[in-house]
Structure formats: C-alpha cells, structure tokens
Amino acid sequence: MIFLVLKLNIQITDQISKRTINQFMQQQKNLFAHYKQPSIKEDSYVTGLNLANSMKGRELVPFIPINGRQVNFYYCGPTIYKKFHLGHARTYLGIDIIRRTLRDYFNYDLLSVMNITDIDDKIINGAKLANQDFLEYTKIWEKNFFSAMESLSIELPDVITRCSDYIPEIVTFIEKIISNGYAYNNNGSVYFDIQKYLADGHTYPKMRPEINVDQLQEGERESQVNKQSEKKSLNDFILWKASKPEEPKWHSPWGEGRPGWHIQCSVMASSILGNPIDLHAGGIDLVYPHHDNSQAQAEACFNCDQWINYFIHLGHLNFANRKMSRSLKDFITIDEILKKYTPRQIRLNFAIHKYDTVMDYSEEHFEQAISIDKTYHKFFQNTQIYLRDSQITGPQKWMQNDFQISNLLRNTKQVIHIELLNNFNFPTVIDAIDKLINQVNVQITNKTVRAPLVHSVVEYVKFILGLIGLNYQTQNNNSSDIKLIMTEVCSIRDQVKLATSKGEFEAIQNIVTQKQFQYEKNLSNGIVDCVNQFQQQVLVASQDKNKQLLFQLCDKLRDEQLFDLGIKIEDKQQVSIWKQYDPQELKLEREQQQKLIQQKEQIKKKEEEKKKQEELIQLEKSKIHPKDMFLTQIDKYSEFDENGIPVKDKNGNELSKKQNKVVKELWEIQNKIHNQYLLQLQKQQQ
Amino acid sequence: MIFLVLKLNIQITDQISKRTINQFMQQQKNLFAHYKQPSIKEDSYVTGLNLANSMKGRELVPFIPINGRQVNFYYCGPTIYKKFHLGHARTYLGIDIIRRTLRDYFNYDLLSVMNITDIDDKIINGAKLANQDFLEYTKIWEKNFFSAMESLSIELPDVITRCSDYIPEIVTFIEKIISNGYAYNNNGSVYFDIQKYLADGHTYPKMRPEINVDQLQEGERESQVNKQSEKKSLNDFILWKASKPEEPKWHSPWGEGRPGWHIQCSVMASSILGNPIDLHAGGIDLVYPHHDNSQAQAEACFNCDQWINYFIHLGHLNFANRKMSRSLKDFITIDEILKKYTPRQIRLNFAIHKYDTVMDYSEEHFEQAISIDKTYHKFFQNTQIYLRDSQITGPQKWMQNDFQISNLLRNTKQVIHIELLNNFNFPTVIDAIDKLINQVNVQITNKTVRAPLVHSVVEYVKFILGLIGLNYQTQNNNSSDIKLIMTEVCSIRDQVKLATSKGEFEAIQNIVTQKQFQYEKNLSNGIVDCVNQFQQQVLVASQDKNKQLLFQLCDKLRDEQLFDLGIKIEDKQQVSIWKQYDPQELKLEREQQQKLIQQKEQIKKKEEEKKKQEELIQLEKSKIHPKDMFLTQIDKYSEFDENGIPVKDKNGNELSKKQNKVVKELWEIQNKIHNQYLLQLQKQQQ
C-alpha cells in the first residue's frame, strides 16, 4: 500500500473531501479509467522514461511515443498583453529543460510547436486602455516576450503558430465540430454542446474528472456572465465569438467575429502535428478548463478517443504566498529580476525544484541557486586551470584515487540516468553532480587525479548541466592571445609586489621598464592599456619610494582595472593566477557577495546587541541580594525568615516541603550569582 | 542464401583458396563456433547497434555490453619510435569517431583505455641509431605522437597506460600464466606454451582460425629467428625477454629483461578494465598474431573462456598501392599532410570510407573530401547569415516547403539512426546529410523556409558532424564587436565603389572622412588598421580622380587585407556580405582552389595540344592524292590501275571481290578528304 502511495503523484484538490487513502486510490483508478495508456509495439523506442501524466491523475506513466523515436510536442505559449514575469519564466524554463533532456539525453526526434495567443479579450482590453492599435499592441508585447526568452537563453520551438494566422483553419475546425453534432450557432456565436458530448458517452472533463458537472466553469468570464441566454447549457464554452463594435473581427459562416480562447490550441496543434499527439505541456493553471476543453474540441472534431497521450503540467510559482498572476500588483518582471540575478542563477533557482511541484518565490531559494552557481563556476575554472597546466607526457598511471573518481563518475551516471527517467527529477540530479564535483575538487587540490580523467568528468558535467541550459564556457576563443599577455601581467605584478616588500625600488623600475606593450592583432586592448598604465604609475611610485602606494596600485590593478575587464586575479602565496569571466557576471557576483556580507554583518550586529541586552539584564539581576529576592513577591508569599526565604504563602499557610526546597535552591543560586558580582566589584576597585 | 551472404561481412584472405560460397559459409560457421555471443539480460542496454566482430569472422553481431550502459573499451596505442603518419591517422581518427558515436549518440557510459608501447625492439634499435638515451628517445616520440593527435583534434582516451609503468603487473601476470601451466622459463626468457594451450582444449588463434598451426607466426621476428633453440615449439611466442647488453632492463624472477610486445596489452587492459572486456579495437594488421596472442595470454592467466566480447579492426591505408608501413620509404607524415590539407578535410577523407575497409591513398579521395568540407562550411555560413538576418516577429506560419523540410529532416534522422546502428556506416550518413543540406540550401536561397526550422536542421547537422569530429563554429565569440565594425566597413566600401563608378569624387572624400576608427576594447585592431588605411588611400586616389586605382583599392581590401584576417567579402550585386573564417583555413582554401584551377588548365592545355597534333596529322594525311595512297604499300600490293587502286596483291594474285571493295572504299574516302583539302587551299589563296 505504502509503495503504491509513493508511486502515485497526485495533487489532492480542495474539492475532494478527505477520505481514507484506500477509498481515494480506488476512486482515482475509476476516475481515470478512460485513459488509454499507449502500449509497447515492435518498433517502439522505449527509454524507460516515466512522466507524471495529468491524463491519469498525475500518475507516473511509461512514455511510449506513437512512432518510433519521433515525439510530437505541443506547448501553450503566451497571451501577449503584458510583461514577461517570473511565473512565466518558471513555465518556459521548465519546458526548455524538458525539451533539451528529451532531445539531447534521450535522443528522441522531437518536433516542438508553441502557439502565440494574439487574439484575446485581455489583449483587446489592454490595447483599448493603452489607446493603441490592436496589431501594434500585439507586436510590442510579442517582441517583449521573445526578448525575455532570449535573455534567459530559452530555446525557440521548432514551430511558432500565431492564432491570427489560423482563422480559416479555425473556422473549418469549428464547422466540423458542428457537423459532428457537438456545437451550435446562436446569434453569431458558436458554443460547444457539453450535454450532447456527455450524452454520447464521451468523458469530460478528462483531467479533472472529479469536478461536478454543475460546477463546470467555462473559463472565459465574459461569456459565462453575459451570454447565458444564448447557451443550451450554462457550461457550454464558446468556440466563436460574434463580433462586438470596435473589436478586431474576421469573417466566418456565422458572421463576423473572432475565435474563442480554447479553440486556438486544438486547431494549431493539430495543424502541424496531426492527431493524436504524443505530448502536450503547459502551466498547471491551464489544466481545467483550457486543456480539457482543447481535448474535447479535438476529439469532437476528429471523432477520436484520445487526442493527447501525455499531458504534463508545470507547477505554480507562489509569490509572497500568493499565486503569481497578472491580477496581482506585486509581480516581478524579468527586467527587474535580471538586475538582481543572472540568467543562470534564475535557471538554477527553478531546476532545484521538481518541475511539476508548486514553488514559493523566496530570497532563500535564490541564495541557494547563487551558491550552487558559484560552485559550478569555480569547478569549471579550477579544472580548466588544472588541465591547462597539465602535461600529457607526465605520469599517467592510475592510482587509487583515479579508480575512486572513475567509480564515482560511473555511479553518478547511473544515478542520474535513473533520476532523469523518473519524471525529470533534476533536484536529485543536481545533488549527484554536487557530490561528484566535491570529490574531484578535493583530488584537484591535492593534485592526486590524472588530467584525462578530470577531462572526462568535466565533459560529463558540462553535458548534464547543458540539459538544464547552463553554460559555463568562457566566452572568448582568443584565450590563447590573452593567455600570453596575462601570464606576463601576473608575473610583472608579482615581481613588483615582492620587490616592494623588500624595498627594492630600483629593481621595480627595471621590471616596469623592460617592455612597452603594443597592441597586437586581436589582442585585448583593454589589458594592454591596463598594464601600460600600471607600469607607468608604479615607476613613479617607486621613484618616490612609496611602498603604500605601490601596494595600492597592485590592488587597484586586480580589484578595479582588470576586474572591470572580467579578469579575476587570485593571489596565491607568492604567485597569482588569473581567470576570465564575463565582466557583467563578475560585477554581479561581487555585488551579490557584498550583499551577502552585509546581511551577515547585520545579523551579527543584531545578535551582538541581543547578547549585550541579555548581559545587562543578567547584571542587574546579580546586584540583588538573595535576602531581598523574594520580598517583592507579595502575590505569592506573606512571611519570610531572617535570610529572606519565604516561609508562608500569600494566604498565610506554611509552605510545603517541596515548595520549601524550591525556594531554598533559588536562594542558593542567587547567592552564588550575587557573590560573584561582589567579587567582580572588588576586583574592579583594586 | 543470398540474404545470408549479404549479412556476412567477411574478408577472404589469400590463404583460403576459392571455394563455393556454400562450403565457405559452412566453414565460417565452424571456424568461429568458439565465439560466445553475449545474450540480452534483464538490465541490458540494447540500442540495436551491430558491429563487425572479428571474433566471429567480422560478421555483424548485436552489441550487448556486460553491464547495462557501461562499455569498457581498450584500443592499441602507438609504438613510439617514429613520426606519426597518415596510416596512423586513419586508425586513430577511426577510433575517435567510433568513441564519439558510442558516447554522444548512443549514450553508452564509455571508459576508454589506450596504451603506449614504450618498450620495444624497434625503439631500442631506433635509439641506438639516433645515438640517444632510451628514455629521452621515447619522450621525444611520445610528444610527437600527442602533438599529432592534438593537431587532428583526436580526443585523448580516459586512461593512458605506458608499458614502462606496468612492469610489476606484467611480471605477476606472467607468473600466473606459468603457474597455470601455459608458459615456461628458459634461459631467462619466458615463452607461451602453445601446444599445451591447444592440448587443453583452448582455441587458438581465435580470430584467424583458418591459419594452419604449423604456419603460426610469432610476430616478433627476432625471437623466431634467433631463439628457436630455447622454445618447446617453434610457434611459442615470447612473454619476457632475457636482457641483452646495452639494452634497458628490468628485474624479474627470471633474471633481468623486459616484456615482450604481446604481453603488454593483456596486462594493461585488464589492470584498468578487469575481465572480461566489452570492446577492443586496433588496426587490422594487428589481428594476428598480436590481438590473438593478447587474448590467449589473458585467457591463460584468468582461466576464462573469452576475454574480449567484441573485437573490431580498422582497415589499412594503402599508399601508392602498397601497405602503409614504416619499412617503406615513401610515407606521408602528418606535418607534411597538414601543409596540404586541413584537419577537417583529413577527417572527412576517412569518414567517407567505412572504417573497417581497406582504402587507397589518392588525391581524388582528398579532393572529394575538400569538396564536401566546402559544402558543409558554406552551409553553416549561409544558415548563420539567414538566421542572423531573420526577425522572430516576422511571419511564422508553416507553408508547404516547411512541411517538406520537416519531413525530410525526420526521414534523415531515421536513415542516419539505422546507418549508425549498422556498424557505423558513415559514408551513407554523409550522403543523407548532403541531401538534407541541398534541400535546405534551395529553400534558403528562395527564402521559403522558416528560420526556427532552419535552426533545428542546423543543430542536428552540427550534432551528426560532431560525431565525425567536425566543427564549423566560427572561432570567435566577440563576433558582435566585429559585426558592428564589419557592417560599417562593408557599407563604406560599397559606397566608395558606387560613387567611383559614377565619378563622384567629392562624395567619396566625404564618405571616407566621416569617421576615424578607434581601437575599442576587444575590437579587432587588424580590421581597424585596414579600414583606416583604406580610407586614407581612397582619399588620395579620389583627390587624384583615379578611378582605376579606386577600384583596385576596393579589390585589395577584399582580396588581401581583410582576407589575411580571415574575413571573406562576397560582392553581391550592389551590397556585399562578409563571412568570418579561420585565416589559416581561408588561405589554405585559396591555395587549394588555385591548385585546382591550375590542374584544370593543365589538363585543358594537354587536351588542346593533343587535339592540335591530331589535326596536324589529319592535315598531312589529306595532302595525299588518292592515286598515291596505296603506292607505298608494296608489302601488300604489286600492281595498281590508272587511279592508283591496287589490283594485285604482293604475290601477284588478283584481289578478291571483298578486298576490291575495301580498297575502293578507302580510295573514295581519301578522295573526299583530299578534295576538301584542295578546296581549302583554293579558299586560302583567294
């Protein structure tokens, strides 16, 4: 039983009252009995992947595509009327990671389609409010969407379908539904006939089967409120909306109007991918009614049993413990978030949570992401240096540590393979990577692991992090040119520091007049300028025999000039090493570090204050003579002995043995404390 | 029968006399009956890959690793005593491609070990000849090997094992063989006891079972010739060689000496990978005796049936129709080859042939490789420009061509998947890629395909070519900086050309004095210098109103200055476009193009000369009057009529009817030709 409970990954909604697990599971089984799980055929490509399938109540279902390795994948895109925010980021980043994993790890032949909803009530209203032309308005917000996607390095789908391009197809589709008997025209608007659909034995809704038919929402507020008179049944949802004045409109057999929201996905997805479709994804808030309606429409049009085989849903992002949706004022836009965090940190923030779970927005999560990001970045930098400095002609024989790392690498690959199969369980994948990295870091520090093996580990880590869309490559390929000059720069600076510490000013002058650096083809001019200026200033300072200034100049070169170019110098004992970063990232990293330090200092300060206060209280307490300690407690006691120890309670009754014992102990403790205080006083006076 | 013949991939050697296919196949079946094909277990990872397995006479055998996705892979490395040459390149490039495919396409968890034979007769002799210390000598040639590998971008194995590091392990291994009864010590040398091995029921040799026991070679000439007296059986091969004076030596239970050649691989492979091992590869010339001896040794030591499950062999490279081996003087070293061809072209040259087939070195093959390389390079450049210039907010709806390309892409993926499973059949893979690329090129030229789909095609092609180790990324990531300045440079140059053609010299002066280009952080100084100089020279030339010079300067900028920086400008009607290359590659490409043109011109010249000669001969012939034509043929004829037509043969007999007819026809033809000649003369005189 417990095993079964662990396997099922079901979200219990408010509408299901609490029952025993037994009854619940039985009901679950019945509720999703309509789902036809694809079976393994002779040419099936079976990887062992299991997905939390909303078609089966989010149970883990083995993923079997219809046609060999081919996977047809559709996911809901944006309704373009406002800025891209963090909630969107979670959904699209989640899908991005899933796509990469399906394609690059499991080698499926993936064809991905994403729609753009560019005809919608919210867009029309938004354009009116902004006093803009409808088309112009959608163009602006579509551009904003794609810019945001690009800034987060989210891959574009293979196909983009805009609703406004598919009006003819939508009309044809609706006509088919009508002719199949599942929709009707009333007053220029077309509605889906839910009663007829149910009466003919169809299941609806498929993914929220526990919903009471009477409670069925339509999903488009407007129709539900305004057009009840046109509908056969309250729950019928709109497919085609009769035109209203001053609204964009298109021609149809039922008059002028525009598509409803739900119909768009059914039409565009099947236009490209046909029927049935392997995989459909979207945010969890779309499950019902939007996704269920999409399915009903398609199944009503094609007269098929099951339009989508696997439906997966991305979890919500709760912001300040509230659902991240536009109707709330306090949302976070991508522009603002990118001022605080890098795209990589944002990705990691989400990747450390399962894609289909609800998640709270919190600074702590981000800090965890920042920390992991730094770990990875350091790992790649350190291994790069280790490999850069290793000689292939050096010792290569495997020692115990090499076998250890190799075994760990193989174990890690096994664990990660299993966890990726397990509904893309990336949090555990990241844990496994962390363990591997930690071990390798230790071996690298001790120089007890062969470089080719390190290289193999690095390549594997790169590959897995690539599935998350994380890229730690240094952005320049002219690194060989920079390598040469940077080696020289570090050497000069190290020599200056050493000579300065020895007060050898003439030597310094020699060092910095050896070579005037020239611009060379493709060489970083910035570095050239830095080092020439450094040499100049050091020359003067050494002529003035100004040690302090000399050290300051060395620091300035490291912390400001080269830092601004994205070059980080790390002073290691006598020799320094250099690493190259994206200048923007380096700057952001420093800001985040400073912020962290500030926070720590604030916490420390608060604790110190708190401690100080406590000490004061203790001091005051210790000044009290034990014989006075109970005197004020007249609400408890009425009579005291010569030492101030209570003998009678407030009612005049003698204290019990136990009470006596207690007050005597307290008296002793206070006596001790007070004597210590007196001793302290004496010492101070001496 | 025919089906079976098609499936078997057997190389018929000289030693097997020709028999009927029937008898042959029956014999094959029997010859390799000892091979135990791995069976599919519950946790087996089955991709469908088939390998030409030398353990089964190079029949295609389904590849089933011992342990899930893990593949333990050992391949023979170099004996380091001479320069790396093209034959080596074929072997190591072949293995490189196989490794990448196993790991990156089929997602096996690959652990690859390669040995370095740094103790060997040839090394000792080479060091003596070169008058160098043995250790120094090996260091030099090992470095040469790894440099060559690096210049060809061949990946290092995960583990490198040098023979000299494994002496203790070798000694222990040999001791085990001795104690198992399959080797014996004689006079400080240890030999493998083949007769005992065979007598105990072992199969030897396993991969060349048709070889007559009496004909067994030992594989190390020296022992065979010199030490026959020490061996129980002529065919026993040496495991440990007793020391000779002035040779490097190591201590052993049998005295001072050094390992034989064969023992090294058995010991080092099993040291890292254990026993049994999934996959072993090497050049075909090593099959027997080296690989078979390696197996015998390991099986004699571990007392196991089958040490290697899959043995694959890389085909020979024949040079000038002779086997590429060191004993031939005319070999091609990597250094020389790289002066003529790029690493990518060398890889392609081999990839268009199946890895396990024999191959002739020829210029034609290389030309084919050059042509394919250019096709790929152009494809990536053109698609890069297409994607660079496309707007995501533009039209996205799929048209017929998009569906076509998408279907072609999917078909291509299917074909390639099947062909990779089929013993890494890369020639067919390359054909499939070519077809795909051609179609996409057409669509791009007509601008009739959506950019996201092009991107998907590009990524897939990149992935597959990556398995061959081909990388067409432009090497710089500062392309955004260069993009800005190059756009300006092209614009200025285009304006200058246009204004020059119109004779608008003042306008030119305005154009080139608009902006003095400055060095900017990380910007290519070379381009800055070029454009500043161009502007200067154009200014002067326009002041002199020198059109010719102005055009020359525009050409010079394109063909020399920017070309040397790796920037290729292509003039398209009025606007030029620019593409970035590796400068070295661009230069080499031009040289190869010029060479090709030269060759074509030479061929054309020769043909013209030949044609001219023939014409001369014809002219001379036409000068002869028909009545004279037979007169000189006194060896055939004795009498002639008034027209010079022969009537009697040399013996005085009259010609037959047939002979008559023939000579009359010849006379008529010559008459015609001669008359034409006379006509021609007349015309000339007029």
Side-chain angles (χ1 to χ4, degrees), chain A residues 387 390-394 396 450-456 459, chain B residues 73 75 78 92 95-96 99-100 103 110-116 142-143 145-160 162 347:
Chain A
L387 295 174
S390 74
Q391 299 289 333
I392 191 67
T393 47
Q396 292 294 343
R450 301 299 178 204
L453 180 55
V454 172
H455 176 80
S456 301
E459 290 303 303
Chain B
F73 181 24
Y75 53 101
Y92 293 109
I95 291 174
D96 189 57
R99 280 182 69 206
R100 290 172 193 258
R103 182 192 64 210
L110 202 60
L111 180 58
S112 310
V113 183
M114 183 189 81
N115 81 305
I116 306 265
E142 192 190 282
K143 204 162 184 194
F145 172 77
F146 283 120
S147 295
M149 293 278 270
E150 194 181 343
S151 65
L152 293 172
S153 302
I154 296 174
E155 289 186 342
L156 290 176
D158 302 299
V159 198
I160 295 164
R162 293 189 187 97
R347 269 185 188 267

Side-chain angles (χ1 to χ4, degrees), chain B residues 494-512:
Chain B
D494 289 341
Q495 289 178 64
V496 167
K497 281 169 63 185
L498 184 62
T500 301
S501 65
K502 292 183 187 174
E504 291 171 354
F505 298 108
E506 267 199 42
I508 294 173
Q509 291 169 43
N510 284 336
I511 294 163
V512 298

Side-chain angles (χ1 to χ4, degrees), chain B residues 67-325:
Chain B
N67 196 359
R69 285 169 50 236
Q70 293 176 359
V71 173
N72 286 346
F73 181 24
Y74 178 85
Y75 53 101
C76 294
T79 303
I80 42 175
Y81 74 111
K82 254 198 187 170
K83 278 195 177 178
F84 193 97
H85 61 63
L86 205 59
H88 294 126
R90 188 184 185 202
T91 299
Y92 293 109
L93 277 170
I95 291 174
D96 189 57
I97 293 172
I98 287 170
R99 280 182 69 206
R100 290 172 193 258
T101 306
L102 287 172
R103 182 192 64 210
D104 301 335
Y105 189 88
F106 290 116
N107 202 14
Y108 288 107
D109 171 7
L110 202 60
L111 180 58
S112 310
V113 183
M114 183 189 81
N115 81 305
I116 306 265
T117 302
D118 61 349
I119 302 174
D120 189 89
D121 293 346
K122 301 192 202 75
I123 298 177
I124 293 169
N125 293 336
K128 277 191 192 147
L129 277 170
N131 205 22
Q132 273 178 315
D133 169 59
F134 176 77
L135 281 174
E136 259 189 64
Y137 186 81
T138 54
K139 273 202 172 12
I140 290 169
W141 291 111
E142 192 190 282
K143 204 162 184 194
N144 169 267
F145 172 77
F146 283 120
S147 295
M149 293 278 270
E150 194 181 343
S151 65
L152 293 172
S153 302
I154 296 174
E155 289 186 342
L156 290 176
D158 302 299
V159 198
I160 295 164
T161 56
R162 293 189 187 97
C163 174
S164 54
D165 285 331
Y166 283 86
I167 306 296
E169 287 87 346
I170 288 173
V171 167
T172 307
F173 200 96
I174 295 175
E175 281 181 316
K176 193 82 188 355
I177 299 178
I178 292 176
S179 79
N180 283 346
Y182 297 117
Y184 55 91
N185 168 20
N186 197 338
N187 221 8
S189 293
V190 182
Y191 298 90
F192 192 86
D193 193 340
I194 285 196
Q195 296 308 324
K196 177 74 163 52
Y197 192 65
L198 288 169
D200 274 7
H202 290 99
T203 313
Y204 175 89
K206 279 189 167 176
M207 292 187 288
R208 293 293 302 276
E210 80 286 355
I211 287 180
N212 200 315
V213 169
D214 296 331
Q215 290 172 318
L216 287 174
Q217 301 168 46
E218 192 213 318
E220 288 196 83
R221 225 174 305 133
E222 186 216 320
S223 315
Q224 198 153 5
V225 174
N226 296 345
K227 298 231 174 119
Q228 289 179 22
S229 56
E230 288 183 355
K231 302 198 281 186
K232 287 185 187 174
S233 161
L234 280 183
N235 322 323
D236 291 348
F237 51 89
I238 204 161
L239 305 179
W240 184 264
K241 301 181 177 185
S243 176
K244 282 213 223 128
E246 284 175 26
E247 267 189 9
K249 56 186 186 241
W250 287 263
H251 190 71
S252 83
W254 320 288
E256 309 227 285
R258 55 182 173 91
W261 172 36
H262 307 299
I263 194 68
Q264 306 184 19
C265 286
S266 307
V267 177
M268 293 190 285
S270 41
S271 262
I272 305 289
L273 300 175
N275 155 51
I277 294 173
D278 295 296
L279 183 64
H280 193 313
I284 186 80
D285 54 323
L286 299 175
V287 175
Y288 179 83
H290 184 57
H291 286 160
D292 263 321
N293 288 0
S294 299
Q295 289 208 80
Q297 285 159 174
E299 285 160 28
C301 173
F302 299 124
N303 264 332
C304 65
D305 282 333
Q306 186 167 288
W307 183 50
I308 303 292
N309 286 339
Y310 299 85
F311 233 121
I312 58 177
H313 288 99
L314 288 300
H316 259 313
L317 178 65
N318 280 349
F319 183 65
N321 299 328
R322 284 175 292 177
K323 216 171 85 170
M324 174 78 80
S325 63

Side-chain angles (χ1 to χ4, degrees), chain A residues 32-63:
Chain A
F32 296 98
H34 57 76
Y35 175 62
K36 289 178 182 54
Q37 190 163 317
S39 51
I40 299 177
K41 294 174 298 182
E42 204 195 306
D43 70 340
S44 284
Y45 178 70
V46 184
T47 57
L49 176 63
N50 292 307
L51 300 180
N53 194 352
S54 297
M55 294 291 283
K56 209 180 177 188
R58 299 195 40 212
E59 191 178 304
L60 290 182
V61 179
F63 182 63

Side-chain angles (χ1 to χ4, degrees), chain A residues 467-511:
Chain A
L467 303 178
I468 305 177
L470 302 174
N471 177 11
Y472 291 87
Q473 305 278 73
T474 42
Q475 24 77 278
N476 70 313
N477 281 342
N478 291 334
S479 56
S480 51
D481 301 324
I482 297 180
K483 182 178 175 180
L484 274 164
I485 193 180
M486 274 315 301
T487 310
E488 289 188 74
V489 169
C490 282
S491 172
I492 288 168
R493 186 173 163 276
D494 289 341
Q495 289 179 64
V496 167
K497 280 167 67 184
L498 185 61
T500 301
S501 65
K502 292 184 187 174
E504 292 172 354
F505 298 107
E506 267 200 41
I508 295 173
Q509 292 169 43
N510 284 337
I511 294 162

Side-chain angles (χ1 to χ4, degrees), chain B residues 346-412:
Chain B
I346 295 172
R347 269 185 188 267
L348 264 167
N349 183 37
F350 293 129
I352 53 183
H353 297 82
K354 290 194 193 182
Y355 77 92
D356 58 340
T357 55
V358 72
M359 184 182 151
D360 291 319
Y361 168 82
S362 78
E363 301 256 332
E364 283 77 36
H365 283 152
F366 267 108
E367 267 154 44
Q368 196 184 353
I370 290 171
S371 167
I372 297 175
D373 182 53
K374 199 180 296 186
T375 302
Y376 292 161
H377 203 174
K378 255 186 147 179
F379 171 73
F380 285 111
Q381 294 280 10
N382 289 340
T383 48
Q384 194 185 41
I385 292 171
Y386 193 75
L387 295 173
R388 191 176 74 192
D389 296 343
S390 74
Q391 299 289 333
I392 191 65
T393 46
Q396 293 292 344
K397 187 179 184 182
W398 268 24
M399 298 294 151
Q400 194 184 24
N401 290 321
D402 299 289
F403 282 99
Q404 219 171 33
I405 293 293
S406 177
N407 289 337
L408 177 59
L409 176 60
R410 282 202 138 161
N411 278 343
T412 305

Side-chain angles (χ1 to χ4, degrees), chain A residues 489-549:
Chain A
V489 169
C490 282
S491 172
I492 288 168
R493 186 173 163 276
D494 289 341
Q495 289 179 64
V496 167
K497 280 167 67 184
L498 185 61
T500 301
S501 65
K502 292 184 187 174
E504 292 172 354
F505 298 107
E506 267 200 41
I508 295 173
Q509 292 169 43
N510 284 337
I511 294 162
V512 299
T513 45
Q514 283 269 349
K515 173 174 177 173
Q516 173 72 9
F517 284 81
Q518 300 296 330
Y519 290 139
E520 281 162 58
K521 282 193 180 148
N522 292 330
L523 198 57
S524 171
N525 304 333
I527 301 175
V528 170
D529 287 340
C530 275
V531 72
N532 283 336
Q533 186 184 51
F534 173 71
Q535 294 192 136
Q536 245 181 9
Q537 292 172 331
V538 161
L539 181 64
V540 173
S542 66
Q543 283 162 347
D544 294 345
K545 302 193 197 295
N546 190 338
K547 253 197 185 186
Q548 194 189 32
L549 179 57

